Amino acid sequence: MVTTFEIIHSKTSCTFPEPLSPDSLSSYRIENGHAKLKWRAPRGQVDGYSVVLKNCMEDVVAEETTMSTHLSISLGNHRISAAYFVEIRSLSHGERSDPLTEILQVEELVLIIQDLHATMQDSKSVTLEWKHPVYGPVDSYEVQWALQYSDQLNIIAADSGRTWITIKDLTPAKTYIFRVASVLPRECGQENKFLSQEISFTLAPSMPGEVDRIASTIKSTSFDLKWRASGGRVDKYIVKISDYSTFGAEYETEGPSPSLRIENLEVNTRYKLAIFAVRDNIKSEPRTENLKTKDVTVHWGCMTKAILTGGIAIAGVSAFAPFLGAVGFGAAGIGKGTMAASWMSSYGGAVASGGLFSTLQSLGVVGLGASAKAAIIASGMALGCIVEVI
């Protein structure tokens, strides 16, 4: 008996899982050293997902398998790239789908330096300071600066460990534009630079020059000052004056002219001056000077006659004329045996301004401030009763 066998060939079919559609990746970013991903599941049965991160050389940076549709992968020691490739495959029955591939670009905001600011050291130098980028290490920094509205760019390199640099030999009273580039390690033969936002900074004018003692006029109650102008554009000058005691005042020029008149000063008094050049409300270093007003000699006979006859009509002084006559100061001279004669004999007929004003005040004349004294001296000099001396 012949037995016949029928051989039946069976085929085993292999079904690959459905790949993710091109628009499945709904969220992907680099944040705090992690690649954060979120995607929509494909149709059909899926056991899990394979996620691979690669750098530009296609070296695997990180690889994980997950059941979830969102994942945070640590970059570990690979936080040096500005971009990564991510491949996501769906898994089913031990098979992998074709990959969904996307590029994860690190946000530029975390690649640039932080908090760039400038501090002026003097009228020719500025110190720039900044903070490291939030993301990853840098190879170095590139500091760039130029004059405002100029195309001539200056560049200097700074080590990756530094977050400050001082730039010298700048032009006083000029505005400069500064920015700093963070230079990342080279990737695939390409250098990545990320520029910060630019900042502008105006330098102070240079210190004004010395007071010209020949061109300036020094009098008993005023200074007519002229000094050498500051370098660069100047809006105005500020002059501060003090007498080493209680007096202090501040004056401004009306424009950039290096000259100023200061009035109503005390006779025979030493003053300290500080002169500042100003541009855009930024003051230069001060030029300091020490000047002294001239002394005067007062001829009492002439003065009393001028007061009594109204030649000097100063509030408090002209009103005091009757009393001056009563104590012996007369238009014709000083009466013998009077208080005035006794007082004048001790001075020989001529006194310094201090003697004049202290005597008037001791006799009851009030209101003798600096302006009143200056007015008395000006009137007395015009009448020849007061003479300036060096």
Side-chain angles (χ1 to χ4, degrees):
M1 180 177 185
V2 179
T3 304
T4 305
F5 294 93
E6 182 179 356
I7 300 175
I8 301 174
H9 296 279
S10 63
K11 288 186 177 181
T12 302
S13 63
C14 180
T15 304
F16 288 95
E18 184 79 16
L20 277 70
S21 62
D23 60 349
S24 294
L25 198 57
S26 58
S27 175
Y28 50 99
R29 66 186 186 279
I30 302 292
E31 184 179 290
N32 297 326
H34 289 73
K36 297 190 175 183
L37 310 168
K38 188 176 181 180
W39 60 91
R40 293 189 300 274
R43 293 175 297 177
Q45 181 182 353
V46 174
D47 297 333
Y49 303 92
S50 169
V51 181
V52 178
L53 280 180
K54 297 180 180 180
N55 60 20
C56 67
M57 298 290 292
E58 296 195 7
D59 297 325
V60 175
V61 172
E63 184 173 8
E64 288 195 26
T65 301
T66 179
M67 298 286 292
S68 176
T69 56
H70 53 84
L71 181 66
S72 177
I73 304 178
S74 174
L75 300 177
N77 296 324
H78 298 277
R79 293 179 57 181
I80 59 175
S81 296
Y84 296 88
F85 296 101
V86 59
E87 295 179 353
I88 305 176
R89 290 179 168 89
S90 53
L91 307 175
S92 180
H93 301 295
E95 300 294 337
R96 302 191 308 170
S97 70
D98 292 333
L100 168 66
T101 303
E102 282 287 355
I103 297 176
L104 272 67
Q105 181 72 48
V106 179
E107 290 186 23
E108 188 169 323
L109 182 64
V110 299
L111 295 171
I112 62 176
I113 59 103
Q114 309 292 307
D115 300 333
L116 177 63
H117 63 277
T119 305
M120 184 172 61
Q121 301 302 309
D122 54 46
S123 61
K124 293 184 178 181
S125 63
V126 166
T127 294
L128 299 176
E129 295 180 90
W130 62 88
K131 293 181 181 178
H132 291 299
V134 172
Y135 174 84
V138 297
D139 263 1
S140 62
Y141 294 105
E142 186 178 276
V143 181
Q144 304 177 1
W145 74 96
L147 275 169
Q148 191 177 37
Y149 309 122
S150 171
D151 295 329
Q152 184 175 351
L153 187 66
N154 303 277
I155 299 175
I156 189 171
D159 295 337
S160 60
R162 295 183 65 179
T163 56
W164 65 272
I165 193 168
T166 297
I167 301 173
K168 301 180 179 180
D169 299 323
L170 302 175
T171 303
K174 294 290 187 179
T175 299
Y176 285 85
I177 305 299
F178 300 97
R179 57 186 181 181
V180 177
S182 50
V183 183
L184 271 62
R186 300 182 73 89
E187 291 186 280
C188 303
Q190 182 177 359
E191 187 178 60
N192 290 315
K193 294 182 183 179
F194 297 90
L195 279 171
S196 69
Q197 290 186 336
E198 64 182 34
I199 62 171
S200 64
F201 191 87
T202 301
L203 288 165
S206 59
M207 181 190 299
E210 296 179 348
V211 170
D212 189 334
R213 304 298 177 101
I214 297 176
S216 298
T217 302
I218 309 300
K219 294 190 174 183
S220 55
T221 61
S222 65
F223 293 146
D224 279 298
L225 303 174
K226 297 183 184 298
W227 57 88
R228 286 192 295 108
S230 175
R233 182 174 71 82
V234 173
D235 297 330
K236 62 182 178 182
Y237 292 91
I238 292 176
V239 179
K240 294 183 178 181
I241 183 170
S242 62
D243 65 355
Y244 297 91
S245 181
T246 59
F247 171 75
E250 182 175 304
Y251 301 87
E252 293 185 3
T253 61
E254 292 185 357
S257 176
S259 61
L260 182 70
R261 178 177 175 82
I262 302 176
E263 299 179 314
N264 299 329
L265 300 176
E266 294 285 352
V267 175
N268 194 32
T269 301
R270 188 173 298 279
Y271 289 94
K272 180 181 179 180
L273 288 83
I275 306 174
F276 301 84
V278 181
R279 181 189 173 184
D280 296 336
N281 295 319
I282 301 173
K283 293 193 294 187
S284 70
E285 293 294 313
R287 168 68 64 182
T288 57
E289 297 278 355
N290 291 284
L291 297 176
K292 182 174 175 291
T293 53
K294 291 181 177 180
D295 198 2
V296 297
T297 296
V298 182
H299 297 282
W300 260 108
C302 178
M303 280 295 292
T304 54
K305 182 177 180 180
I307 293 172
L308 291 169
T309 58
I312 296 179
I314 305 299
V317 176
S318 58
F320 195 68
F323 183 77
L324 289 177
V327 297
F329 292 103
I334 297 174
K336 292 182 179 181
T338 62
M339 183 188 300
S342 175
W343 181 79
M344 282 303 298
S345 65
S346 65
Y347 284 92
V351 297
S353 62
L356 166 66
F357 295 120
S358 63
T359 300
L360 290 175
Q361 287 173 330
S362 67
L363 293 176
V365 178
V366 294
L368 290 180
S371 58
K373 292 178 182 180
I376 292 172
I377 290 175
S379 298
M381 291 179 65
L383 296 170
C385 304
I386 297 177
V387 179
E388 285 185 337
V389 295
I390 298 175

